[in-house]
Amino acid sequence: VRTIRIGLLGCGTVGGGFVRLLERNRSLIRQRAEAELEITRILVRDLEKRRDGIDRSLLTVRAEDVVRNGVDIVVELIGGTEPARSYIREALATRKHVITANKAVLAHAGRDLLELAAIHRVRLGFEASVCGAIPVVRVIRDGLAGNRVRSITAIVNGTCNYILNRMGESGAQFDDALREAQAKGLAEADATLDIDGEDAAQKITILARLAFGSLETRWLRREGIRQVTPEDHLRAASQGSVVRQVVSAREHDGTIELEVGPRLLPLQHPLARVRGEGNGVILQTDAAGELVLYGAGAGSLPSASSVLADLVEIARAL
Ligand code: HSE
């Protein structure tokens, strides 16, 4: 069996989940990838931090130990724009395949990075950047390759969905619900990215580019959920509705129109049944009609599941 060497950048919520999942399903993954997948180096910030189930001898604080060190695939799970973007660029430019969950980098520099990957004939996998465990990138890119996508309407931020569910169902205070989401490892290191809508904006930008190509984008609305009050939830309930953070994208007159913000959803709306940190995506297409996807939108193993999907696909092709 071939051995494919993996350099891992970051060992936080998703990185730790990735290492555990690779270990837990090792023989299944070996069969599916037709190769042994071996993590040879892991970049961390703090060598002393306790990390259950992680081989300490693999840890390093020097990114070059991971990116420049004879690996076949670099898995970037540190998040944020820099230095992640530079590491990804360097890995691609030195002909390593890259898998990333980094929606910030992809939303801002995705086109450049995909071009760089094409120039160097390597792959850039980013299933984990959007909607946690839901394989929505594959659905749009592969499953719907013969369709024209008419619109995407979705819940893409687990933290906001968790907060709004808790507030609506049990009258929880915004701050308490946010703290719970943080304790569950759902929120970004800087949770303002979640609650002010930036995380959702990045994710819908990525999905829209996949679905509609490289047209110009135009924001019709870009709002967070801080201003949603308990009274808003009560009013929604009295009308048979719930308040949710919803994103949407559609093509209009040659531009991609995007929206992010809180929206009232009637209880029978498909996205109203997305609970907790779940995500949901409704795709309207010309041939396949309407598709609805649900699943875990954030968290350690759900996100790791999508990283593994890219990893197995790339490993098979190597
Ligand atoms: N903070 C993100 C969320 C993590 O809550 O959805 C997954 O991208």
Side-chain angles (χ1 to χ4, degrees), residues 153-296:
T153 311
I155 288 175
V156 294
N157 183 271
T159 301
C160 288
N161 204 60
Y162 184 88
I163 292 172
L164 293 173
N165 265 270
R166 293 280 291 127
M167 289 176 77
E169 279 170 7
S170 58
Q173 294 295 318
F174 183 92
D175 289 340
D176 293 335
L178 172 59
R179 265 193 294 276
E180 286 173 28
Q182 287 172 311
K184 285 163 74 84
L186 309 175
E188 297 304 299
D190 171 6
T192 61
L193 295 173
D194 295 298
I195 58 187
D196 291 337
E198 180 61 21
D199 177 270
Q202 290 164 353
K203 289 168 175 167
I204 190 62
T205 301
I206 295 168
L207 291 183
R209 290 220 179 286
L210 264 178
F212 304 113
S214 56
L215 299 174
E216 289 300 310
T217 52
R218 186 159 81 92
W219 286 96
L220 302 182
R221 185 162 82 109
R222 200 167 169 159
E223 284 171 26
I225 60 159
R226 279 180 208 260
Q227 74 282 19
V228 179
T229 61
E231 292 70 40
D232 292 327
H233 285 285
L234 289 175
R235 208 170 312 117
S238 73
Q239 297 168 17
S241 297
V242 290
V243 186
R244 295 288 180 265
Q245 189 208 44
V246 177
V247 296
S248 66
R250 60 176 40 78
E251 190 185 330
H252 181 72
D253 278 348
T255 61
I256 309 171
E257 292 184 340
L258 302 169
E259 280 189 72
V260 172
R263 222 173 98 174
L264 271 186
L265 297 177
L267 282 171
Q268 61 277 17
H269 191 285
L271 294 179
R273 59 163 281 204
V274 180
R275 321 295 291 191
E277 64 266 37
N279 282 184
V281 185
I282 305 174
L283 296 157
Q284 298 286 354
T285 70
D286 63 344
E290 178 179 283
L291 277 85
V292 185
L293 310 171
Y294 293 111

Side-chain angles (χ1 to χ4, degrees), residues 1 7 41 65 70 75 79 140 143 195 225 246 290 297:
V1 183
R41 218 73 176 122
D65 289 348
V75 177
I140 296 176
I195 58 187
I225 60 159
V246 177
E290 178 179 283

